[in-house]
Amino acid sequence: MTEKPTTRKRFNILAMIFITVVINYLDRSNISIAASALQEDLGIDSIKMGYVFSAFAWTYALLQIPGGAIADRIKSRVLYTFIMVFWSIATLIQGMVNSFTALIGLRASIGFFEAPSYPINNLVVTRWFPENERATAIGIYTSGQFLGMAFLLPILTLIQDAFGWRGLFIISGIIGLVWAAIWYFFYRDPKDHKSISESELNYIQEGGGLIETKKQTEVKEKFNWEDIKEVFSYRKLWGLYIGQFCLGATLIFFLTWFPTYLVKYRGLDFLKSGFLASIPYLAAFVGVLLSGFTSDYLTKKGYSVETSRKLPIIIGMLLSIGVIGANYTDDTFFIILFLSISFFGNGLASIAWVFISLIAPTRLIGLTGGAFNFIGGLAGIVVPIVIGYLVKDGDFSPALFFIGGIALLGFVSYTFIVGKVERIVPKNK
């Protein structure tokens, strides 16, 4: 029987990852708060703004697979510090730009440096947590993107009101630089952590935590282009890829155009919009927690995988269509209600990653996950640009129909294209 740990250093590390995720999303989404004032000062129309919103994802999506490979090879303490410093500098410099082109370049550079961040988060949790605690740990740090933004949006709005949109970017960048220094000085892998007890180290290792980091790279198959072809050769996997793109579309709307929609297209007071905008993020946070709890509860009760794993996603996708309801009311309460229902649904559907481990060919789970995340990341490229064109005449309703339509496609994809949840076994392997 494993000895009860006398220290709980792994939870300190989890708190550090949570804060890092909050800063990660602060620096990728503060552009949404600044958008209205920035457009006015720099003379950027809605079409160009769509490209600005999209630029982050150009590099972020394309570098997901290389980013994961780099994360495997460089110590998390060093790599995270390096990329955080450079994405924070790019964030800070945004406060000094005077041109559309410079803004595009800086947004793309932030995506470039943030690309390895989630692979690093996953590696850190894999090293620091036994398998029976890992899902909870992942759920906690992932919730940082919603809970953090729910509380940060009003604060960011107040910062911009006091210091302008340039001050918002400069302060955001400084926060990131400070946290990068804290990460470097305090983070260590389990074997290198001086104050972790031997009992906690044993507890992590005996529970499946990969504390021996170098062993992960000793036995690796050579890269094969046929493997790339294979992960794009199955209907079930395409169902997952399409579903992830659709899931990402709703998230991207809230990370980019949402505050602009409230201020510019709904005429809400800027400060008031910052507080109201936090409500859908809280709804999404509840959805994330409820999805994991409900799915695990149904699994323990003996329900089939189709019910326990697919049900939250299918219901979530259906609820996400509710964003369209905001087109049929001018009442602020109901606008926020429909948007909150939609984002709650997005959070509820967020357990989609579980299907990679359940469906992907056994030897290609990692590569399939990279493809899955890449296709999902394409939503960040496509959606902001399409919305920019749809709203160029001053009417945002076509954009909400667009987001709702993509959510409907996600529902269809998980229900009919993915089909039965079962492991893919290649016939020629």
mmCIF file of all heavy atoms in Angstrom, residues 30 88 91-96 165-175:
data_model
loop_
_atom_site.group_PDB
_atom_site.id
_atom_site.type_symbol
_atom_site.label_atom_id
_atom_site.label_comp_id
_atom_site.label_asym_id
_atom_site.label_seq_id
_atom_site.Cartn_x
_atom_site.Cartn_y
_atom_site.Cartn_z
ATOM 1 N N ASN A 30 -6.963 39.996 -24.446
ATOM 2 C CA ASN A 30 -7.101 41.414 -24.090
ATOM 3 C C ASN A 30 -7.388 42.278 -25.320
ATOM 4 O O ASN A 30 -7.939 43.370 -25.211
ATOM 5 C CB ASN A 30 -5.875 41.931 -23.328
ATOM 6 C CG ASN A 30 -4.566 41.615 -24.023
ATOM 7 O OD1 ASN A 30 -4.526 41.295 -25.204
ATOM 8 N ND2 ASN A 30 -3.469 41.700 -23.272
ATOM 9 N N SER A 88 5.006 37.895 -23.734
ATOM 10 C CA SER A 88 4.701 39.068 -22.902
ATOM 11 C C SER A 88 5.294 40.345 -23.502
ATOM 12 O O SER A 88 4.676 41.409 -23.466
ATOM 13 C CB SER A 88 5.219 38.870 -21.480
ATOM 14 O OG SER A 88 4.570 37.766 -20.869
ATOM 15 N N THR A 91 3.121 41.304 -26.311
ATOM 16 C CA THR A 91 1.903 41.908 -25.765
ATOM 17 C C THR A 91 2.151 43.365 -25.391
ATOM 18 O O THR A 91 1.357 44.258 -25.716
ATOM 19 C CB THR A 91 1.425 41.126 -24.527
ATOM 20 O OG1 THR A 91 1.116 39.788 -24.905
ATOM 21 C CG2 THR A 91 0.187 41.767 -23.921
ATOM 22 N N LEU A 92 3.251 43.604 -24.699
ATOM 23 C CA LEU A 92 3.608 44.957 -24.254
ATOM 24 C C LEU A 92 3.788 45.897 -25.452
ATOM 25 O O LEU A 92 3.282 47.023 -25.448
ATOM 26 C CB LEU A 92 4.875 44.877 -23.411
ATOM 27 C CG LEU A 92 5.332 46.121 -22.654
ATOM 28 C CD1 LEU A 92 6.159 45.703 -21.434
ATOM 29 C CD2 LEU A 92 6.175 47.036 -23.532
ATOM 30 N N ILE A 93 4.489 45.437 -26.483
ATOM 31 C CA ILE A 93 4.768 46.281 -27.647
ATOM 32 C C ILE A 93 3.490 46.642 -28.401
ATOM 33 O O ILE A 93 3.430 47.687 -29.063
ATOM 34 C CB ILE A 93 5.792 45.589 -28.577
ATOM 35 C CG1 ILE A 93 7.143 45.441 -27.857
ATOM 36 C CG2 ILE A 93 5.994 46.371 -29.872
ATOM 37 C CD1 ILE A 93 8.168 44.643 -28.645
ATOM 38 N N GLN A 94 2.445 45.810 -28.262
ATOM 39 C CA GLN A 94 1.167 46.141 -28.900
ATOM 40 C C GLN A 94 0.669 47.521 -28.450
ATOM 41 O O GLN A 94 -0.035 48.208 -29.195
ATOM 42 C CB GLN A 94 0.098 45.097 -28.545
ATOM 43 C CG GLN A 94 0.187 43.828 -29.331
ATOM 44 C CD GLN A 94 -0.875 42.825 -28.913
ATOM 45 O OE1 GLN A 94 -1.600 42.288 -29.724
ATOM 46 N NE2 GLN A 94 -0.969 42.560 -27.630
ATOM 47 N N GLY A 95 1.029 47.899 -27.233
ATOM 48 C CA GLY A 95 0.612 49.192 -26.724
ATOM 49 C C GLY A 95 1.334 50.365 -27.366
ATOM 50 O O GLY A 95 1.036 51.521 -27.049
ATOM 51 N N MET A 96 2.276 50.082 -28.267
ATOM 52 C CA MET A 96 3.061 51.142 -28.902
ATOM 53 C C MET A 96 2.834 51.233 -30.414
ATOM 54 O O MET A 96 3.419 52.080 -31.074
ATOM 55 C CB MET A 96 4.563 50.911 -28.626
ATOM 56 C CG MET A 96 4.897 50.764 -27.148
ATOM 57 S SD MET A 96 6.617 50.284 -26.894
ATOM 58 C CE MET A 96 6.615 49.998 -25.106
ATOM 59 N N TRP A 165 -6.287 51.917 -24.182
ATOM 60 C CA TRP A 165 -5.998 50.577 -24.711
ATOM 61 C C TRP A 165 -4.500 50.315 -24.773
ATOM 62 O O TRP A 165 -4.059 49.170 -24.612
ATOM 63 C CB TRP A 165 -6.655 50.369 -26.069
ATOM 64 C CG TRP A 165 -6.165 51.267 -27.185
ATOM 65 C CD1 TRP A 165 -6.680 52.457 -27.569
ATOM 66 C CD2 TRP A 165 -5.058 51.012 -28.065
ATOM 67 N NE1 TRP A 165 -5.974 52.979 -28.639
ATOM 68 C CE2 TRP A 165 -4.972 52.111 -28.977
ATOM 69 C CE3 TRP A 165 -4.139 49.977 -28.191
ATOM 70 C CZ2 TRP A 165 -4.004 52.185 -29.972
ATOM 71 C CZ3 TRP A 165 -3.170 50.053 -29.197
ATOM 72 C CH2 TRP A 165 -3.113 51.154 -30.075
ATOM 73 N N ARG A 166 -3.708 51.345 -24.956
ATOM 74 C CA ARG A 166 -2.249 51.150 -24.969
ATOM 75 C C ARG A 166 -1.756 50.736 -23.574
ATOM 76 O O ARG A 166 -0.926 49.823 -23.441
ATOM 77 C CB ARG A 166 -1.540 52.431 -25.424
ATOM 78 C CG ARG A 166 -1.844 52.810 -26.884
ATOM 79 C CD ARG A 166 -1.047 54.031 -27.312
ATOM 80 N NE ARG A 166 -1.392 54.453 -28.667
ATOM 81 C CZ ARG A 166 -0.885 53.927 -29.776
ATOM 82 N NH1 ARG A 166 0.013 52.957 -29.678
ATOM 83 N NH2 ARG A 166 -1.250 54.371 -30.958
ATOM 84 N N GLY A 167 -2.277 51.382 -22.557
ATOM 85 C CA GLY A 167 -1.921 51.027 -21.188
ATOM 86 C C GLY A 167 -2.343 49.608 -20.840
ATOM 87 O O GLY A 167 -1.638 48.902 -20.103
ATOM 88 N N LEU A 168 -3.481 49.176 -21.387
ATOM 89 C CA LEU A 168 -3.955 47.812 -21.145
ATOM 90 C C LEU A 168 -2.936 46.789 -21.628
ATOM 91 O O LEU A 168 -2.596 45.840 -20.911
ATOM 92 C CB LEU A 168 -5.299 47.607 -21.853
ATOM 93 C CG LEU A 168 -5.855 46.181 -21.863
ATOM 94 C CD1 LEU A 168 -6.157 45.708 -20.444
ATOM 95 C CD2 LEU A 168 -7.109 46.094 -22.726
ATOM 96 N N PHE A 169 -2.419 46.982 -22.846
ATOM 97 C CA PHE A 169 -1.431 46.041 -23.387
ATOM 98 C C PHE A 169 -0.114 46.105 -22.612
ATOM 99 O O PHE A 169 0.502 45.069 -22.335
ATOM 100 C CB PHE A 169 -1.170 46.343 -24.868
ATOM 101 C CG PHE A 169 -2.280 45.931 -25.781
ATOM 102 C CD1 PHE A 169 -2.778 46.803 -26.733
ATOM 103 C CD2 PHE A 169 -2.826 44.651 -25.712
ATOM 104 C CE1 PHE A 169 -3.802 46.428 -27.590
ATOM 105 C CE2 PHE A 169 -3.847 44.257 -26.566
ATOM 106 C CZ PHE A 169 -4.344 45.149 -27.504
ATOM 107 N N ILE A 170 0.310 47.291 -22.271
ATOM 108 C CA ILE A 170 1.588 47.442 -21.552
ATOM 109 C C ILE A 170 1.516 46.790 -20.173
ATOM 110 O O ILE A 170 2.428 46.038 -19.777
ATOM 111 C CB ILE A 170 1.965 48.936 -21.435
ATOM 112 C CG1 ILE A 170 2.310 49.486 -22.823
ATOM 113 C CG2 ILE A 170 3.133 49.126 -20.471
ATOM 114 C CD1 ILE A 170 2.459 50.997 -22.872
ATOM 115 N N ILE A 171 0.443 47.020 -19.445
ATOM 116 C CA ILE A 171 0.282 46.419 -18.115
ATOM 117 C C ILE A 171 0.161 44.891 -18.223
ATOM 118 O O ILE A 171 0.763 44.148 -17.425
ATOM 119 C CB ILE A 171 -0.944 47.021 -17.399
ATOM 120 C CG1 ILE A 171 -0.666 48.489 -17.045
ATOM 121 C CG2 ILE A 171 -1.296 46.235 -16.135
ATOM 122 C CD1 ILE A 171 -1.866 49.254 -16.542
ATOM 123 N N SER A 172 -0.574 44.411 -19.225
ATOM 124 C CA SER A 172 -0.697 42.958 -19.433
ATOM 125 C C SER A 172 0.667 42.330 -19.680
ATOM 126 O O SER A 172 0.997 41.261 -19.136
ATOM 127 C CB SER A 172 -1.617 42.670 -20.626
ATOM 128 O OG SER A 172 -2.921 43.132 -20.400
ATOM 129 N N GLY A 173 1.486 42.987 -20.499
ATOM 130 C CA GLY A 173 2.818 42.465 -20.796
ATOM 131 C C GLY A 173 3.711 42.434 -19.572
ATOM 132 O O GLY A 173 4.462 41.467 -19.357
ATOM 133 N N ILE A 174 3.629 43.475 -18.756
ATOM 134 C CA ILE A 174 4.442 43.527 -17.531
ATOM 135 C C ILE A 174 4.048 42.394 -16.580
ATOM 136 O O ILE A 174 4.912 41.752 -15.972
ATOM 137 C CB ILE A 174 4.295 44.903 -16.845
ATOM 138 C CG1 ILE A 174 4.958 45.995 -17.697
ATOM 139 C CG2 ILE A 174 4.899 44.879 -15.443
ATOM 140 C CD1 ILE A 174 4.683 47.403 -17.217
ATOM 141 N N ILE A 175 2.755 42.139 -16.453
ATOM 142 C CA ILE A 175 2.286 41.038 -15.597
ATOM 143 C C ILE A 175 2.895 39.716 -16.061
ATOM 144 O O ILE A 175 3.363 38.904 -15.255
ATOM 145 C CB ILE A 175 0.746 40.958 -15.613
ATOM 146 C CG1 ILE A 175 0.148 42.162 -14.879
ATOM 147 C CG2 ILE A 175 0.257 39.654 -14.965
ATOM 148 C CD1 ILE A 175 -1.358 42.291 -15.034
#
